[in-house]
Amino acid sequence: MKKLSIEERLGTNKFIVDEDVPHIVLDKSICAACKAKPCVKACPAGLYQVQGDSVSFDYAGCLECGTCRVVCLSKGLTWVYPRGTFGVEFRYG
């Protein structure tokens, strides 16, 4: 059996995205003032991107690990679990 890379393993997950209610919301003004931007470095799915002084985020591929919530000391994001039936379904053991 072929050994899968991290990207290939993540690709097997199923995401049911809640288009109406995002489970992570960024406060752009707080993120722009943050110098370290630890969420960019810490997110295991690589969903945070630096664009100029601000940070953008696509919650559609979120693994719901909560790492960003823990490392964001400036409280620049609001994080809750997705509503029922939405979110990630892990498919690789």
Side-chain angles (χ1 to χ4, degrees):
M1 184 162 105
K2 178 187 170 206
K3 185 174 180 177
L4 298 177
S5 69
I6 295 296
E7 291 79 16
E8 291 169 325
R9 289 181 190 179
L10 288 173
T12 63
N13 295 333
K14 179 181 176 187
F15 296 93
I16 303 170
V17 180
D18 188 349
E19 300 290 341
D20 297 326
V21 182
H23 68 283
I24 298 175
V25 178
L26 300 181
D27 184 324
K28 298 285 187 175
S29 61
I30 293 175
C31 292
C34 177
K35 300 291 183 207
K37 300 194 184 347
C39 56
V40 175
K41 299 172 189 159
C43 178
L47 300 178
Y48 291 87
Q49 303 273 323
V50 176
Q51 295 178 336
D53 288 337
S54 67
V55 175
S56 66
F57 173 72
D58 180 16
Y59 65 93
C62 182
L63 300 173
E64 300 170 27
C65 65
T67 302
C68 57
R69 174 180 53 171
V70 173
V71 300
C72 181
L73 301 177
S74 59
K75 307 293 183 213
L77 60 90
T78 304
W79 194 103
V80 294
Y81 282 105
R83 297 186 298 168
T85 72
F86 293 103
V88 64
E89 180 182 317
F90 297 102
R91 292 183 164 187
Y92 191 84

